[in-house]
Amino acid sequence: MSRILPTIVGAQFFCTSLWFAGNAVAPDIAAQLHQPPGFVATLTSAVQLGFITGTLTFALLALADRFSPSRVFCISALLAAACNLGVSLGGIGAPELLALRFLTGFFLAGIYPVGMKIAADYFEAGLGKSLGFLVGALVLGTAFPHLLKAATAQLPWQYVTVATSGLAVLGGVALVLLVPDGPYRRAGQQLRLTAFLAGFREPAFRAAAFGYFGHMWELYTFWAFVPVLLVAYNQLHPGAVLPVPLLSFLIIGVGSLACMGSGLLSQRLGPRPVATAALGLSGVCCVVSPWVLGGGSVAGLLGFLFFWGVVVVADSPLFSTLVAQNAPAASRGTSLTIVNCLGFALTIASIQLTNWLGHFLPPPYLLLPLAVGPALGLWGLRRGSKPGVLA
């Protein structure tokens, strides 16, 4: 039993490194394919759209509830790794590249939410702590390609995609070999195309889901535009030489520690108060971002981005905990998957809106509209604060 959580966490880290593998090398790919700088937003949206399509498919078919979730995870990891590796093939154009990133996102739907389902099947007690480590692994995996890019700056960009694909294969195989189905798993043997709706009939589930949706409006757009903001700073200050890939890794990656910390803190205070505090602080960062990002201080810029990198994701495992705890047991995997699906659908709208606003707004003002997400998320949590609705 002692190996279960470390194995799930390690597999999640290895496999989710596929998520931003394309973003880390987007400037190289854009230059090779003669694409405009905004191509990074299109590349990110392709993965998100694939993930949404995948989560909807997985939810409708209830794959994680009807079949062994460890096997679903492994097969998804192998297929996602193959699609990610395809980006390195010579002779592909922008349409083929976007299709491969879409398919990578599609199979990530069998990794991230299914990993949470596996953890929930093992750790009914202390789920917040377990998911804190699990989402922390996701955050570190998301940031890891930027570190790879920084470490292989003098090498062809294909090294990043090859390395992340290899890690995903290792993670998928390790999980299926070392983590059998959990003791709290309740298999749903019959295919019910409406099973994903069951959770939304419960007020506590709805409250947790809407808090999560507000959080997601902000999270991935912040992550996607961190490198953009750092590049913009270098351009606005000719003497600045900020190492963009390394700083992007650190700013995104510090969120992994925040997830672990918030998971542990939730053991004492409960998941809802901690999630509310983190979402509120993140919303404040959105509101004050134009003043901080428009300043000339390197220390002020980096200190602010690191703080934002902490609070923007600290609530993520807690929302997942609340969703898992309040989902019907027989459709827990499906419920987690559909909430992920809807949340990631919002990330596409948010990323594309921010990219479009980039044509009209100076860089310091780009992230101000993200404040809408935390505000609506806090409203959703407030509606769920009635006694007996949301713990």
Side-chain angles (χ1 to χ4, degrees):
M1 188 70 175
S2 60
R3 73 172 186 273
I4 297 298
L5 184 59
T7 302
I8 301 173
V9 169
Q12 191 87 312
F13 165 67
F14 286 163
C15 294
T16 54
S17 66
L18 302 174
W19 215 307
F20 269 30
N23 292 63
V25 295
D28 303 272
I29 296 176
Q32 180 175 310
L33 300 179
H34 308 291
Q35 296 295 315
F39 186 65
V40 63
T42 306
L43 205 61
T44 304
S45 294
V47 181
Q48 305 298 78
L49 182 59
F51 185 82
I52 293 162
T53 307
T55 50
L56 184 59
T57 302
F58 276 63
L60 287 173
L61 299 179
L63 295 178
D65 292 313
R66 295 169 57 219
F67 303 103
S68 166
S70 294
R71 292 181 181 178
V72 172
F73 187 105
C74 180
I75 293 170
S76 299
L78 297 178
L79 293 172
C83 295
N84 183 66
L85 191 60
V87 173
S88 303
L89 297 175
I92 66 171
E96 294 83 5
L97 172 66
L98 292 175
L100 287 168
R101 293 305 293 160
F102 172 89
L103 289 172
T104 301
F106 182 93
F107 292 116
L108 279 167
I111 295 171
Y112 175 39
V114 175
M116 290 193 293
K117 152 73 173 170
I118 295 170
D121 287 344
Y122 271 96
F123 304 102
E124 280 199 334
L127 182 59
K129 181 181 72 173
S130 301
L131 291 187
F133 282 93
L134 198 63
V135 178
L138 163 71
V139 176
L140 198 59
T142 301
F144 186 64
H146 290 290
L147 180 62
L148 278 178
K149 175 61 178 173
T152 61
Q154 306 306 317
L155 299 173
W157 60 265
Q158 288 86 349
Y159 275 75
V160 174
T161 52
V162 171
T164 50
S165 291
L167 288 175
V169 170
L170 180 61
V173 171
L175 189 113
V176 77
L177 292 179
L178 299 176
V179 183
D181 293 339
Y184 300 109
R185 177 179 178 244
R186 286 181 57 187
Q189 298 298 334
Q190 295 182 345
L191 175 62
R192 292 186 298 120
L193 296 181
T194 59
F196 70 93
L197 295 173
F200 286 97
R201 301 188 184 101
E202 301 296 329
F205 182 89
R206 288 200 304 270
F210 280 105
Y212 174 78
F213 296 154
H215 150 78
M216 288 297 285
W217 175 262
E218 176 193 12
L219 176 62
Y220 273 82
T221 303
F222 173 76
W223 281 351
F225 280 85
V226 162
V228 175
L229 295 173
L230 294 173
V231 168
Y233 185 89
N234 281 342
Q235 292 173 342
L236 290 173
H237 302 84
V241 286
L242 297 178
V244 175
L246 179 60
L247 285 174
S248 298
F249 164 74
L250 294 173
I251 291 167
I252 298 172
V254 71
S256 62
L257 299 177
C259 289
M260 297 175 194
S262 67
L264 292 171
L265 190 60
S266 71
Q267 297 290 98
R268 295 175 58 87
L269 303 178
R272 193 182 72 84
V274 181
T276 301
L279 191 60
L281 288 172
S282 193
V284 170
C285 288
C286 297
V287 172
V288 304
S289 61
W291 290 272
V292 180
L293 299 178
S297 168
V298 174
L301 171 73
L302 295 182
F304 176 71
L305 289 178
F306 272 103
F307 177 77
W308 200 349
V310 168
V311 296
V312 75
V313 75
D315 47 3
S316 194
L318 307 181
F319 284 126
S320 297
T321 299
L322 291 169
V323 169
Q325 287 177 339
N326 293 287
S331 60
R332 180 180 289 147
T334 299
S335 298
L336 281 165
T337 302
I338 195 62
V339 167
N340 271 255
C341 174
L342 296 174
F344 277 87
L346 288 172
T347 69
I348 289 186
S350 178
I351 289 169
Q352 291 301 321
L353 174 64
T354 304
N355 188 51
W356 178 74
L357 289 175
H359 298 292
F360 309 100
L361 297 176
Y365 287 84
L366 270 183
L367 302 186
L368 179 60
L370 297 184
V372 172
L376 293 178
L378 290 171
W379 174 79
L381 286 173
R382 183 177 177 83
R383 282 177 58 87
S385 64
K386 299 175 183 178
V389 175
L390 194 62

